Amino acid sequence: MADAPDTERQAVEPDAREVLSVSQLNDRIASVIQNTPALNGVRCIGEVTDLHQNSTALYFTLTDGDAELPCMIWANRYREMDAGLEDGTEVILEGDIDYWVEGGKIDLKPWEVIVVGDGDQAAAVERLRSELEERGWFDDEQKQQPPAFPERVGVVTSLRGDARYDIQNAIHGQDPTLDILVKDATVQGSNAPTSIANGIHHLDRSEDVDAIIVGRGGGSDSNLQAFNTERVAEAIFTANTPIVTAIGHTDDRLIADQVADVATITPTAAGEYTANSREEFIASEIEPMEQQLETAYETFQQEHEHEQELAEAVDEAAAPEGLPPIYYKAAIGMLLLLLLIITALWLGVL
Amino acid sequence: MANDSAIHDRLSRVEEIIEQLDADDCDLEEGTRLHDEGQELLAEVREILDEGSGDVVEIE
């Protein structure tokens, strides 16, 4: 719109002092779009992603890998088209750019769909998936179990993303004593694969990082493409530290998830998985064991005290009544001596 | 380093002590010494769980 002629620009230039409601501004945007010939009857080529349908309409995103455009086709019109769209289908769409005033969203409403073939991107991902599967990168034998009691957890994600805070809050909700090392990474776009892979390598080399969470919040299929690249898959596969993926998505399997030691469906789930609940562990393991130890010792002590009492009683019962034996021996000795003296006197020896 | 082995080793030893006390195959003095050892090990596990400051470090 930067090169719009002056007359057109004046027509839409707002009065500097005018304060519009959201509805008024959205109406103004809609009228600009509707009255711009360049946005009517456009033809656009791209790949279908994030396709979902309800009884009213078919929704999907058209992407060329670098940019995206939301699209919508009414269900009855789509039935007439007989296009058979799927995620990854490459299409040429012809239609109008439309602006949804209540939601403040722009989309392309095609009236014609020409299927070109399977999308290059989708086909490339499937080829890579097959190749890595053949190499054994998805095998269970390759997977490491993250520790139950880590001291420090590494996180590779955008420092400014919600995912980072979801992971942090989930970890510290389980165990407030855990240290967290967050490595900033670009998680979408052409630089993302290198950035994510470098983040994994960096934390993997760090001392005392016991597990690494790699993740981001949800997004469209094309936003998540970095997690379908060999670069990221290799960084995960070659890491010595157990890797937990935390990519907010629900439908398609990402290659990163398949290579990871553990795949979780959201950043929060990854945080909760990686950090054991300290309180829960104390309540379920430590306290019962303390109780068992005390019970075992009390029983043991009672047994032994009983035995001791019994032994003392036996000793007591075995002992003869009256004076101790030494007195009797002394008395016998004295009597024998007396007998000797008497005998000696009687024999006149003394 | 993760604390798995430090915690696991201590809890295993406490289990052994409980078994020895249950089996009743030592004298009272030895049993008392085992009980004290078990209590000490469980206190150490709690200390291990309390270690760490929960720091968050950002790396640009």
Side-chain angles (χ1 to χ4, degrees):
Chain A
M1 295 294 287
D3 298 330
D6 283 351
T7 50
E8 197 174 311
R9 192 175 297 171
Q10 278 164 7
V12 295
E13 198 167 290
D15 181 336
R17 288 167 302 173
E18 189 181 16
V19 178
L20 300 173
S21 68
V22 176
S23 300
Q24 287 170 321
L25 183 54
N26 278 7
D27 282 337
R28 188 175 284 183
I29 294 168
S31 72
V32 170
I33 288 168
Q34 279 165 11
N35 298 321
T36 302
L39 297 177
N40 293 320
V42 293
R43 298 186 90 210
C44 185
I45 186 167
E47 195 172 306
V48 172
T49 61
D50 302 321
L51 186 131
H52 54 284
Q53 190 172 4
N54 59 28
S55 56
T56 316
L58 180 87
Y59 303 91
F60 60 93
T61 302
L62 195 68
T63 179
D64 61 6
D66 294 321
E68 298 181 344
L69 181 65
C71 300
M72 190 269 260
I73 307 173
W74 296 114
N76 54 356
R77 180 169 282 183
Y78 179 61
R79 275 193 294 273
E80 289 165 13
M81 287 176 177
D82 194 28
L85 296 182
E86 290 177 350
D87 276 350
T89 310
E90 194 169 18
V91 289
I92 295 170
L93 303 179
E94 189 170 349
D96 294 332
I97 295 294
D98 187 43
Y99 187 71
W100 177 37
V101 174
E102 290 78 8
K105 287 182 179 151
I106 203 163
D107 65 8
L108 172 61
K109 287 196 169 60
W111 61 68
E112 189 176 0
V113 175
I114 300 159
V115 176
V116 176
D118 283 342
D120 290 347
Q121 199 177 62
V125 167
E126 290 315 309
R127 273 198 304 274
L128 178 63
R129 198 190 304 278
S130 303
E131 198 180 311
L132 299 185
E133 193 163 15
E134 263 179 49
R135 287 188 213 166
W137 284 23
F138 304 157
D139 293 354
D140 285 344
E141 304 86 78
Q142 301 289 353
K143 308 222 179 274
Q144 307 179 71
Q145 181 63 35
F149 300 99
E151 276 190 13
R152 178 177 288 176
V153 175
V155 180
V156 178
T157 192
S158 166
L159 284 180
R160 288 156 298 283
D162 288 343
R164 170 251 170 106
Y165 294 102
D166 290 345
I167 293 166
Q168 267 178 226
N169 294 338
I171 289 174
H172 281 159
Q174 296 280 83
D175 185 349
T177 68
L178 258 180
D179 292 338
I180 303 171
L181 206 56
V182 190
K183 177 76 179 83
D184 190 28
T186 304
V187 290
Q188 72 184 60
S190 55
N191 296 328
T194 303
S195 181
I196 295 164
N198 288 347
I200 293 168
H201 291 317
H202 182 102
L203 291 181
D204 190 39
R205 285 193 303 266
S206 299
E207 278 185 24
D208 295 339
V209 171
D210 301 315
I212 298 170
I213 296 173
V214 183
R216 57 156 291 157
S220 65
D221 288 354
S222 62
N223 283 345
L224 303 177
Q225 279 316 299
F227 297 93
N228 271 333
T229 59
E230 187 168 4
R231 188 107 197 221
V232 170
E234 187 179 25
I236 292 171
F237 184 74
T238 57
N240 294 313
T241 315
I243 305 281
V244 179
T245 48
I247 304 147
H249 62 100
T250 50
D251 34 20
D252 284 357
R253 288 175 313 154
L254 295 166
I255 287 173
D257 287 337
Q258 292 178 275
V259 184
D261 297 299
V262 176
T264 61
I265 56 168
T266 62
T268 299
E272 287 172 349
Y273 178 89
T274 310
N276 253 312
S277 168
R278 188 183 160 282
E279 297 306 319
E280 209 173 286
F281 181 71
I282 288 171
S284 66
E285 299 286 333
I286 306 299
E287 286 171 355
M289 203 172 267
E290 283 168 342
Q291 191 56 56
Q292 277 175 34
L293 179 66
E294 292 313 307
T295 306
Y297 182 59
E298 273 171 34
T299 309
F300 172 87
Q301 219 177 7
Q302 282 165 6
E303 286 286 328
H304 280 261
E305 279 170 2
H306 180 68
E307 277 173 24
Q308 207 167 17
E309 282 167 14
L310 209 63
E312 282 169 10
V314 167
D315 285 350
E316 218 171 289
E321 284 184 22
L323 292 166
I326 188 82
Y327 288 103
Y328 294 103
K329 285 174 184 170
I332 289 164
M334 291 288 287
L335 284 169
L336 282 172
L337 191 65
L338 207 61
L339 195 65
L340 277 170
I341 291 166
I342 290 165
T343 309
L345 285 171
W346 185 65
L347 292 171
V349 175
L350 291 176
Chain B
M1 282 295 290
N3 291 312
D4 290 32
S5 61
I7 289 171
H8 180 263
D9 293 352
R10 283 166 174 77
L11 295 184
S12 296
R13 177 61 188 143
V14 175
E15 277 172 1
E16 276 175 22
I17 288 169
I18 291 167
E19 279 170 23
Q20 278 178 279
L21 292 173
D22 284 339
D24 196 17
D25 56 2
C26 59
D27 61 24
L28 185 59
E29 194 183 335
E30 174 66 4
T32 304
R33 195 195 61 73
L34 286 171
H35 169 248
D36 292 346
E37 186 192 346
Q39 281 188 318
E40 201 174 309
L41 289 167
L42 289 168
E44 281 172 16
V45 171
R46 282 179 178 269
E47 276 170 31
I48 291 167
L49 291 170
D50 284 340
E51 278 170 9
S53 50
D55 290 341
V56 178
V57 178
E58 292 179 2
I59 306 166
E60 291 286 344

